[in-house]
Amino acid sequence: MGVLDKLYEENDSEIVEEFINQWDYIIDEIDLVIERLETDYKESVNELFRIFHSLKSATAFLKLNRINLFAKLVEDVLESARQKDKPTDELIDWLFIASGQILKWYQEITHNQELSSIDPRLLKLPKGY
């Protein structure tokens, strides 16, 4: 049984569909927002924080613990980034890897597969965050 089957088995189908739609929006937006960090830092870092906060809340409700812990980690990095005036290249690179992880898990869920492990590069947080 894949992740999607488990989600439908344990939750109302409307909730699962709303989660997939929300995640679809995240996939469409996240790289664009990361790219804007260079030109509109404060607004972009706040938008990324909101994206990961929403993902954290939804995955907690759906008991997707691996994704929830990951979203919390990214949210913590972004909370620290809110205290800075501009991004470092290391932060931007790390966020693009995080975006790739989100896309990978989205594809695994929508293809009803099991969730893979986190990309080990994400365990090395950007310096200063």
Side-chain angles (χ1 to χ4, degrees):
M1 178 183 296
V3 175
L4 193 58
D5 285 340
K6 290 177 189 172
L7 288 173
Y8 277 114
E9 183 177 291
E10 297 171 4
N11 300 281
D12 182 75
S13 63
E14 289 180 20
I15 292 171
V16 175
E17 289 162 15
E18 178 61 31
F19 171 70
I20 297 296
N21 289 336
Q22 178 187 16
W23 203 330
D24 193 42
Y25 168 79
I26 289 170
I27 297 301
D28 287 344
E29 292 296 312
I30 194 166
D31 284 350
L32 298 172
V33 179
I34 294 169
E35 289 171 6
R36 284 198 319 262
L37 283 169
E38 297 271 353
T39 57
D40 190 8
Y41 181 69
K42 290 294 185 183
E43 180 60 34
S44 298
V45 79
N46 286 331
E47 188 170 347
L48 286 169
F49 184 88
R50 286 188 296 271
I51 287 170
F52 280 94
H53 183 76
S54 295
L55 184 62
K56 181 185 79 171
S57 298
T59 56
F61 181 81
L62 296 171
K63 299 181 180 104
L64 294 169
N65 296 332
R66 182 175 302 161
I67 301 171
N68 179 260
L69 290 171
F70 170 72
K72 172 73 171 119
L73 172 69
V74 177
E75 187 183 58
D76 288 347
V77 169
L78 291 168
E79 180 61 38
S80 179
R82 285 174 149 179
Q83 311 309 313
K84 314 277 189 209
D85 291 325
K86 63 181 182 172
T88 62
D89 290 341
E90 188 176 357
L91 173 65
I92 292 172
D93 292 344
W94 188 84
L95 288 169
F96 276 121
I97 297 168
S99 173
Q101 183 67 66
I102 292 296
L103 176 60
K104 183 176 183 180
W105 280 332
Y106 172 80
Q107 291 169 338
E108 290 169 350
I109 289 174
T110 57
H111 289 101
N112 202 28
Q113 300 169 338
E114 292 298 317
L115 292 178
S116 59
S117 298
I118 190 171
D119 184 325
R121 297 174 294 171
L122 291 165
L123 299 177
K124 182 179 184 248
L125 301 181
K127 288 182 183 130
Y129 297 92

